[in-house]
């Protein structure tokens, strides 16, 4: 069965902007959460955004996740231990995934 988000995250209202991703339990450092974008030149900016990539909010000062280029796609990995109910954040730019 397809799950658009890992079981350890959910979508809720964010104090940063609109909706965001939040942990449903403690997530260890260096946990791969899944694919945020798939590269495809037929789409805007050459990317198809997954639900995981669509709800991560920006934190330019202290993000708790990082986006890693894995060739045909980008993965999201935690930079540190994330507490239960903490919002997942990423330092990103709209035009430089």
């Amino acid at each position: 069965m397809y799950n658009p988000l890992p079981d350890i995250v959910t979508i809720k209202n964010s104090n940063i902007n609109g909706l965001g991703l939040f942990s449903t339990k403690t997530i260890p450092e260096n946990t791969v959460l899944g694919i945020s974008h798939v590269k495809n030149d037929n789409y805007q900016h050459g990317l198809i955004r997954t639900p995981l990539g669509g709800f991560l909010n920006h934190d330019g000062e202290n993000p708790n996740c990082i986006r890693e280029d894995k060739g045909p796609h980008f993965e999201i990995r935690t930079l540190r231990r994330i507490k239960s109910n903490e919002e997942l954040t990423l330092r990103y730019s709209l035009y430089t995934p």
Side-chain angles (χ1 to χ4, degrees), residues 28-77:
E29 179 180 352
N30 291 317
T31 298
V32 174
L33 298 174
I35 295 172
S36 65
H37 295 80
V38 176
K39 296 177 186 176
N40 185 315
D41 290 334
N42 294 318
Y43 290 84
Q44 184 180 24
H45 309 298
L47 299 168
I48 300 169
R49 187 170 43 189
T50 70
L52 183 63
F55 290 98
L56 275 166
N57 277 318
H58 173 73
D59 183 339
E61 299 298 319
N62 192 26
N64 54 26
C65 294
I66 189 169
R67 180 187 51 236
E68 297 180 317
D69 189 338
K70 296 297 184 177
H73 63 270
F74 291 96
E75 284 183 350
I76 301 299
R77 180 176 53 84

